Amino acid sequence: MRTVEWNYQQNKLQMIDQRLLPGTFEVAVFDDYRAVARAITEMLVRGAPAIGAAAGFGLALAAMQSGANTPEGLLTDLQSAADMLKQSRPTAVNLAWALERVLFSLTPVLSQGESGAAPSSIGRGGGEGGINALRIAVLAEAQRIADEDVEINQRMARYGAELIADGDTIIHHCNTGALATVDWGTALGVIRMAHEQGKQLHVLVDETRPRLQGSRLTAWELTQYGISYDIITDNAAGYFLSTGQVDKVFVGSDRTAANGDVANKIGTYMLALAAHDNGVPFYPVMPTSTIDLALANGDEIPIEERGPSEVLSLTFQGNTTFPENASARNPAFDVTPHRLVTGIVTENGIINPPFVENIRHTVSMLAS
Ligand code: MRU
């Protein structure tokens, strides 16, 4: 199944509970947009494109939950649901992007007025033609976002796979695979595509403290794809890079500024520094929906700081790993300056420096 999927029999959203992997595969079912917002905050679903798709479907649930009896009333309810969903995690711009896209898609439906009503499988009964048309439109746009995500990831993967040579060893950070997206993945999708093209690869999987998305999720996916890997501690990456054991680094992104500064999972910056120091190419892979042209540089990207319990939950040989009453800091992302980036892989091709000009060109090419 997809990581994020609408169940048309039940009119509910279902998502793989990523907190339980790799030990337990469980699918959580949602009929309340507030629960979807909580699931994003608590990282039942995580990864920038996956939370964007989840938020889009969250709005479809909000449309079904709304008791409004005018289109205007429904729009007010949708807007407040969107505000809540948007606050569930601050760094990944895909979240706001998906919500805005769903709301924007309602403009033509609204202008058609009540006469545009169509029979609805998610309607709340007769006599609500205009409202039902809006409900249908919300779900349709959320579904389009989800379907496009898979298609975009595969396109991106084909571009990215051209950068991978037979026999390469690749460092990968966090989880950017099928689990971080609706399906297929971004950076891990590139690696998967190269593998499917018959290239022999080896992946060094950063375990990715504190939530271990690398060892829990990326290693789980690589096992299923039959791709060779070793899990490494995050602090071992510099050693492998400096001893000539790595050919390329591939990572994802949660938000990339107009100048090519890349926000991604905490630890990406140190990885990029070590790659740069050793002349190893560093490629972030992202759909253009991750590029935030409104932000001139990475200093403006909001960085989520999560609770200290994620850092302080580690045990070693059955014992806690910190003194009683220890405090901790837990930024979830960092920003890699564009000077450390070799090229950015998107669904529209690979963006090379100078990033300011080339990013704007690639994104506006898509819009036109
Ligand atoms: O905190 P997470 O697990 O949501 O962070 C995920 C990442 O940092 C990924 O690299 C990013 O979302 C892009 S992957 C599709």
Side-chain angles (χ1 to χ4, degrees):
M1 71 168 281
R2 289 179 169 185
T3 300
V4 178
E5 194 167 79
W6 188 262
N7 181 321
Y8 282 88
Q9 275 78 48
Q10 298 176 11
N11 275 323
K12 289 180 181 162
L13 173 62
Q14 51 192 43
M15 302 195 281
I16 297 171
D17 189 339
Q18 302 191 36
R19 298 168 305 181
L20 309 177
L21 287 169
T24 305
F25 185 91
E26 204 169 282
V27 176
V29 180
F30 296 85
D31 58 7
D32 181 351
Y33 76 87
R34 295 178 201 87
V36 175
R38 253 193 323 276
I40 295 172
T41 302
E42 291 169 6
M43 294 176 66
L44 177 150
V45 61
R46 33 72 45 202
I51 63 178
F57 285 126
L59 276 188
L61 290 175
M64 287 166 56
Q65 288 173 264
S66 167
N69 47 22
T70 62
E72 294 71 28
L74 179 60
L75 278 185
T76 305
D77 288 349
L78 286 175
Q79 190 59 63
S80 77
D83 291 344
M84 183 186 203
L85 286 159
K86 192 173 165 184
Q87 282 165 20
S88 56
R89 286 195 83 186
T91 302
V93 73
N94 307 62
L95 190 56
W97 170 85
L99 291 165
E100 278 158 25
R101 184 170 147 175
V102 170
L103 293 177
F104 187 71
S105 74
L106 304 180
T107 313
V109 187
L110 275 171
S111 61
Q112 273 168 23
E114 301 255 327
S115 61
S120 169
S121 64
I122 60 168
R124 296 168 58 90
E128 296 186 314
I131 297 179
N132 279 350
L134 283 172
R135 288 197 176 102
I136 292 170
V138 172
L139 178 57
E141 190 64 14
Q143 185 64 57
R144 259 193 297 277
I145 288 171
D147 293 342
E148 281 174 20
D149 182 58
V150 184
E151 189 262 321
I152 281 171
N153 289 341
Q154 290 176 339
R155 254 197 294 156
M156 228 158 34
R158 278 187 282 273
Y159 282 119
E162 290 171 17
L163 300 168
I164 296 180
D166 194 30
D168 272 356
T169 293
I170 293 162
I171 292 193
H172 175 275
H173 195 65
C174 195
N175 173 266
T176 67
L179 290 166
T181 59
V182 175
D183 204 351
W184 193 268
T186 59
L188 202 61
V190 166
I191 292 168
R192 182 175 169 186
M193 183 64 79
H195 168 75
E196 291 199 358
Q197 290 171 349
K199 293 173 186 164
Q200 294 299 315
L201 309 172
H202 187 69
V203 184
L204 295 175
V205 178
D206 275 356
E207 63 179 357
T208 318
R209 280 280 289 148
R211 292 187 67 103
L212 303 168
Q213 290 95 326
S215 58
R216 289 191 308 108
L217 308 177
T218 298
W220 182 75
E221 285 197 43
L222 288 171
T223 304
Q224 294 181 51
Y225 308 147
I227 300 174
S228 149
Y229 69 85
D230 288 304
I231 296 170
I232 61 170
T233 57
D234 302 332
N235 42 355
Y239 163 77
F240 285 105
L241 284 156
S242 67
T243 50
Q245 298 185 63
V246 182
D247 298 290
K248 275 134 209 163
V249 176
F250 281 90
V251 299
S253 172
D254 288 79
R255 191 183 304 222
T256 289
N259 69 343
D261 291 350
V262 173
N264 191 49
K265 178 52 53 194
I266 194 75
T268 303
Y269 171 47
M270 291 200 309
L271 184 58
L273 278 172
H276 190 259
D277 196 41
N278 291 287
V280 175
F282 175 86
Y283 295 110
V285 183
M286 68 196 73
T288 47
S289 55
T290 298
I291 299 174
D292 190 347
L293 289 180
L295 303 187
N297 60 60
D299 298 344
E300 299 175 34
I301 298 175
I303 298 296
E304 174 183 14
E305 180 142 359
R306 298 183 62 86
S309 64
E310 291 181 350
V311 175
L312 299 176
S313 59
L314 188 72
T315 57
F316 182 69
Q317 296 180 342
N319 300 307
T320 53
T321 51
F322 46 88
E324 214 178 327
N325 299 323
S327 61
R329 294 286 305 273
N330 186 17
F333 300 96
D334 58 27
V335 175
T336 298
H338 63 275
R339 68 185 165 81
L340 304 176
V341 174
T342 309
I344 297 173
V345 181
T346 74
E347 75 275 24
N348 216 32
I350 296 161
I351 309 178
N352 294 305
F355 289 119
V356 174
E357 293 83 351
N358 293 344
I359 285 178
R360 200 162 283 280
H361 176 70
T362 302
V363 175
S364 59
M365 218 162 72
L366 277 176
S368 60

